[in-house]
Amino acid sequence: MSGGGNEKPIMLPCCYDGLSARLVARAGFDATFMTGFGVSGACVRTEHNIEVQSIECVNGYPDAQLVSYAEMASAASSVAEGLSSAALELGQEPIPCIADGDTGYGNALNVKRTVFGYARAGMGGIMIEDQVSPKRCGHVAGKSVVPFDEAVKRVQAACDARDEYEGQFGKGTGPLVLARTDALVTDGFEHAIARCLAFREVGCDMTFLEAPESVEQMQEYCDRVPGPKLANMLEYGTTPVLKPEELKKMGYTMAAYPLTLLSASIKAMQQSLELIKNGEPTDDIILPFSETKDAVGFTNYGEQEGRYST
């Protein structure tokens, strides 16, 4: 993954479905992140039975691990397809995506299966965290984490799966392993730093200290933990939202914007619904139909259709 220049970290607007992934790629970003919060709130679920496959909307679930591994893997596949379709239109390779793997959906062996599944779905990386299952959004109350040794083994299992995947499919094919700790809130800053250091010792590619509460904590984390690091820029969350240049100067490698696209879309839909309810025009707050068609791929579809017409 390449950054947008040396003065900024790699910026990751977070997607949650094929359309949001397409928009990130078409906007010119170098990478993206599939947010579990967004998938939980807005994804679709694929259900199979002997006779029929149906697509059913998930009813606005909160990020409290109410969505299963299978649903997350399905969302990852949709994101990968969206990135691929955008890349074909742009004439470039698909940008990479790191996907939220939550707690790995079970024990260490489940973690390994999750890593393999996300890699097969087209994800370039996976985030594994140390919360107790069912986990929840890192910026809400009620979090708890597994014991230190269990957390380290969970990350080690993810790293082993990455290496085993590369053993099967070739060097460089294994997904990046991003190891996250939520222990700052539950066990204090020093304990959280110790977890990040242990995660690095067992082979994770990048660490993520969730929900630091001050610029000072952010800087000390960067100073004390070696290797690449992720900053989580959640508007109205616990962590100070800083400019990309400040994050890079601190020592952050990537900056994720987890809910910006989802929150903006919710606000736009609420405004549109209010106008519709009041019988007022929506023309000023929506895209022209031609731009909407282009965003979802109709322009490219028409070109391809013409190529194969008889």
Side-chain angles (χ1 to χ4, degrees), residues 58-130:
V58 171
N59 297 316
Y61 290 149
D63 184 17
Q65 210 165 353
L66 294 170
V67 176
S68 69
Y69 159 72
E71 290 165 327
M72 289 293 288
S74 177
S77 181
S78 296
V79 165
E81 189 168 359
L83 295 175
S84 176
S85 68
L88 287 171
E89 294 173 15
L90 296 169
Q92 63 185 39
E93 293 184 359
I95 64 173
C97 179
I98 301 172
D100 189 349
D102 293 322
T103 61
Y105 309 103
N107 63 16
L109 297 182
N110 291 99
V111 171
K112 296 182 74 171
R113 180 185 182 223
T114 301
V115 172
F116 265 75
Y118 277 28
R120 285 193 296 266
M123 296 294 96
I126 182 170
M127 181 176 75
I128 295 294
E129 64 189 73
D130 60 0

Side-chain angles (χ1 to χ4, degrees), residues 262-274 285-286:
L262 177 63
S263 182
S265 65
I266 291 172
K267 183 175 182 179
M269 286 189 282
Q270 289 175 333
Q271 291 174 339
S272 298
L273 290 168
E274 190 66 22
I285 65 169
I286 66 171

Side-chain angles (χ1 to χ4, degrees), residues 10 22-23 76 102 119 156 165 179 200 235 239 243 246 262 273 278 282 295:
I10 299 170
R22 279 177 53 83
L23 294 176
D102 293 322
Q156 183 181 3
Y165 191 90
R200 286 290 293 168
E235 299 90 344
T239 301
K243 294 180 179 180
E246 295 178 88
L262 177 63
L273 290 168
N278 294 331
T282 58

Side-chain angles (χ1 to χ4, degrees), residues 31-72:
T32 185
F33 189 109
M34 188 184 82
T35 162
F37 192 116
V39 172
S40 186
C43 79
V44 294
R45 177 168 68 244
T46 304
E47 294 188 344
H48 300 267
N49 59 39
I50 295 175
E51 299 177 348
V52 69
Q53 172 179 298
S54 62
I55 304 296
E56 180 179 342
C57 288
V58 171
N59 297 316
Y61 290 149
D63 184 17
Q65 210 165 353
L66 294 170
V67 176
S68 69
Y69 159 72
E71 290 165 327
M72 289 293 288

Side-chain angles (χ1 to χ4, degrees), residues 241-265:
V241 176
L242 305 179
K243 294 180 179 180
E245 294 83 359
E246 295 178 88
L247 295 171
K248 180 70 173 183
K249 188 176 180 180
M250 276 185 173
Y252 283 104
T253 313
M254 297 186 185
Y257 298 82
L259 298 183
T260 308
L261 298 186
L262 177 63
S263 182
S265 65

Side-chain angles (χ1 to χ4, degrees), residues 148-298:
F148 186 97
D149 290 344
E150 182 179 347
V152 174
K153 289 295 184 182
R154 185 180 288 178
V155 173
Q156 183 181 3
C159 296
D160 287 346
R162 172 201 61 202
D163 297 342
E164 290 166 7
Y165 191 90
E166 289 196 356
Q168 289 188 7
F169 299 103
K171 185 176 176 61
T173 60
L176 173 149
V177 174
L178 169 60
R180 161 179 159 177
T181 183
D182 285 76
L184 190 154
V185 172
T186 60
D187 295 86
F189 183 77
E190 288 298 326
H191 184 85
I193 291 293
R195 289 193 177 215
C196 288
L197 292 171
F199 295 164
R200 286 290 293 168
E201 289 177 1
V202 294
C204 80
D205 300 291
M206 180 180 297
T207 58
F208 170 22
L209 174 64
E210 174 65 303
E213 299 174 349
S214 67
V215 171
E216 290 74 22
Q217 285 186 342
M218 296 169 73
Q219 185 63 70
E220 187 171 352
Y221 160 57
C222 287
D223 290 343
R224 293 176 58 184
V225 178
K229 288 170 279 287
L230 175 77
N232 195 30
M233 296 289 96
L234 173 61
E235 299 90 344
Y236 306 108
T238 303
T239 301
V241 176
L242 305 179
K243 294 180 179 180
E245 294 83 359
E246 295 178 88
L247 295 171
K248 180 70 173 183
K249 188 176 180 180
M250 276 185 173
Y252 283 104
T253 313
M254 297 186 185
Y257 298 82
L259 298 183
T260 308
L261 298 186
L262 177 63
S263 182
S265 65
I266 291 172
K267 183 175 182 179
M269 286 189 282
Q270 289 175 333
Q271 291 174 339
S272 298
L273 290 168
E274 190 66 22
L275 290 173
I276 293 169
K277 185 171 66 175
N278 294 331
E280 299 176 11
T282 58
D283 306 63
D284 291 340
I285 65 169
I286 66 171
L287 291 173
F289 184 43
S290 59
E291 293 185 28
T292 300
K293 290 190 294 180
D294 183 62
V296 301
F298 262 111

